[in-house]
Amino acid sequence: MTEALDWNAKNIAEFRANEGKVGGVFEGAPLVLLHHVGRKSGREYVSPTMYLPHDTEPDVIYVFATKGGAPTNPDWYRNLTAAGSGTVERGTETYDVSVHELTGSERDRVYAEQARRYPGFAEYARQTAGVRTIPVLELRRA
């Protein structure tokens, strides 16, 4: 197992064992497990990802395709946008979601709020400046 897959597997196991809570770099942060199907492989994958809850709509969350500030988008982003849907585990609940990519000022507003709450996201944006704009996806309970 690669280091990244091993790290994901540990976070997934901890998430499920502790009703959606994990320690380490994610301690205290809102975390979901994104279930997505590989657009080429057809295989199901699970990716732990921080999220931002919508201010007033409990059935909407936002996820950020930072890939830790890498110059390319993560596979989960490409898989979810290609499918237009996915599944999330949030706390002890699992449910289907529709996927909508935010653009323009709406994307910028949501990303800025996440960066305000978690400064690492501002650093990811600095690392990708001039290379790519980090996508923000709205996940709405289906």
Side-chain angles (χ1 to χ4, degrees):
M1 194 178 299
T2 69
E3 188 174 322
L5 290 176
D6 188 47
W7 185 83
N8 277 350
K10 288 177 185 176
N11 280 299
I12 291 166
E14 188 175 353
F15 180 99
R16 290 176 173 158
N18 295 295
E19 300 181 337
K21 294 179 178 32
V22 297
V25 297
F26 287 129
E27 188 167 358
L31 189 72
V32 291
L33 301 182
L34 296 175
H35 294 247
H36 51 99
V37 176
R39 63 202 179 289
K40 295 177 185 173
S41 70
R43 184 174 152 220
E44 183 176 320
Y45 297 93
V46 179
S47 301
T49 307
M50 285 179 63
Y51 73 92
L52 177 69
H54 189 282
D55 289 338
T56 59
E57 294 185 51
D59 287 341
V60 175
I61 63 172
Y62 303 104
V63 293
F64 308 86
T66 64
K67 199 175 179 182
T72 59
N73 291 325
D75 289 339
W76 64 256
Y77 160 78
R78 292 191 296 272
N79 292 340
L80 285 174
T81 55
S85 62
T87 303
V88 298
E89 288 181 60
R90 185 175 173 194
T92 59
E93 193 175 10
T94 300
Y95 56 92
D96 293 333
V97 293
S98 61
V99 177
H100 169 71
E101 186 166 353
L102 301 184
T103 59
S105 62
E106 184 180 24
R107 178 253 170 232
D108 296 345
R109 177 188 61 77
V110 172
Y111 195 90
E113 178 58 24
Q114 182 72 350
R116 184 188 70 75
R117 293 182 188 193
Y118 300 96
F121 283 78
E123 180 58 29
Y124 299 148
R126 279 191 288 280
Q127 291 172 1
T128 59
V131 178
R132 71 179 178 102
T133 300
I134 294 171
V136 176
L137 299 181
E138 176 186 276
L139 305 181
R140 181 177 297 271
R141 185 186 299 257

